[in-house]
Amino acid sequence: KQEVTQIPAALSVPEGENLVLNCSFTDSAIYNLQWFRQDPGKGLTSLLLIQSSQREQTSGRLNASLDKSSGRSTLYIAASQPGDSATYLCAVSPRGTGFQKLVFGTGTRLLVSP
Amino acid sequence: NAGVTQTPKFQVLKTGQSMTLQCAQDMNHEYMSWYRQDPGMGLRLIHYSVGAGITDQGEVPNGYNVSRSTTEDFPLRLLSAAPSQTSVYFCASSYSDRVLRTEAFFGQGTRLTVV
């Protein structure tokens, strides 16, 4: 059974710092990995999608990498801002079970202080 | 640009009551899913659909029922609400292209409390 783990569970940094959020998964047989952002009391906003054949994706100050063989992904946030404060979730789409059936980690709660 | 719309946003039910959580998407996506989010457990899949008329169970289907009569709508029914169903419910829709690139889009959630 695919399991997804996110470390750390919570992270507090000063504004301007570069940071890395980690996501690991137990089974490398995946279609895709997706990073989401969730603000308190809100829904999930898709940040980046990495197909299994890709190594990384970039959007603005965000860069996500994927090492499928080791079961790891990282989300790099450059020059963090208070507006980046949110919970970040990663989810994988496992092969063999239907690519629309996402398996989620429990998230990293990020606080960026001014 | 509506995307995935869920109603209601908040609901309080008494134990044993039934209700339907509504979900609609306007992106013509084939796939729709329902997840619940509980503290410390992440999102878990309840039911999903790969197209109109086709549904299947996810990880935690007990106590819930779904149907998919149109591409746009995917309601989730609680048959007899229990306190264990207190949670935040999210509906998602997704597509897949020819290279199996798939991306999921989520609604804003329904916060349900069962007393």
Side-chain angles (χ1 to χ4, degrees):
Chain A
K1 177 185 173 184
Q2 178 74 266
E3 292 182 359
V4 179
T5 303
Q6 291 186 248
I7 294 173
L11 182 63
S12 183
V13 300
E15 181 177 6
E17 192 162 300
N18 302 326
L19 58 99
V20 174
L21 307 181
N22 297 294
C23 172
S24 62
F25 46 96
T26 55
D27 189 339
S28 61
I30 62 170
Y31 287 109
N32 307 286
L33 184 144
Q34 197 167 353
W35 281 93
F36 296 90
R37 169 185 172 137
Q38 185 176 27
D39 293 286
K42 303 293 186 182
L44 281 68
T45 301
S46 179
L47 296 174
L48 289 165
L49 170 72
I50 310 177
Q51 291 179 260
S52 61
S53 58
Q54 297 175 318
R55 297 285 290 182
E56 65 177 346
Q57 282 287 329
T58 298
S59 177
R61 295 183 293 108
L62 305 180
N63 176 277
S65 68
L66 175 64
D67 184 343
K68 202 173 59 166
S69 61
S70 67
R72 295 173 63 181
S73 176
T74 61
L75 179 66
Y76 175 83
I77 303 177
S80 59
Q81 303 171 358
D84 295 330
S85 298
T87 296
Y88 291 80
L89 300 166
C90 74
V92 298
S93 179
R95 285 188 181 272
T97 64
F99 49 78
Q100 71 283 5
K101 296 166 67 174
L102 297 176
V103 178
F104 281 85
T106 52
T108 293
R109 190 169 64 253
L110 173 66
L111 176 64
V112 181
S113 53
Chain B
N1 191 14
V4 180
T5 302
Q6 291 184 237
T7 55
K9 288 186 169 53
F10 302 94
Q11 183 70 49
V12 178
L13 287 179
K14 294 182 179 178
T15 297
Q17 285 185 317
S18 63
M19 78 160 294
T20 299
L21 280 63
Q22 302 292 343
C23 176
Q25 54 98 0
D26 62 358
M27 297 173 283
N28 201 32
H29 287 170
E30 297 175 77
Y31 312 105
M32 297 186 74
S33 311
W34 277 101
Y35 294 83
R36 60 177 288 173
Q37 184 177 37
D38 302 292
M41 299 193 70
L43 280 82
R44 292 179 293 167
L45 182 65
I46 305 172
H47 284 286
Y48 66 98
S49 169
V50 299
I54 306 170
T55 64
D56 206 347
Q57 296 181 349
E59 182 184 355
V60 288
N62 292 341
Y64 307 95
N65 200 4
V66 293
S67 61
R68 182 107 179 263
S69 57
T70 67
T71 299
E72 294 78 20
D73 300 300
F74 191 44
L76 177 72
R77 297 182 187 84
L78 277 70
L79 307 174
S80 177
S84 61
Q85 294 179 303
T86 294
S87 186
V88 182
Y89 292 85
F90 289 100
C91 178
S93 74
S94 57
Y95 68 89
S96 174
D97 61 20
R98 286 177 293 176
V99 294
L100 295 181
R101 179 186 183 279
T102 180
E103 186 170 9
F105 298 85
F106 282 76
Q108 291 298 297
T110 295
R111 188 173 296 272
L112 175 68
T113 301
V114 182
V115 297

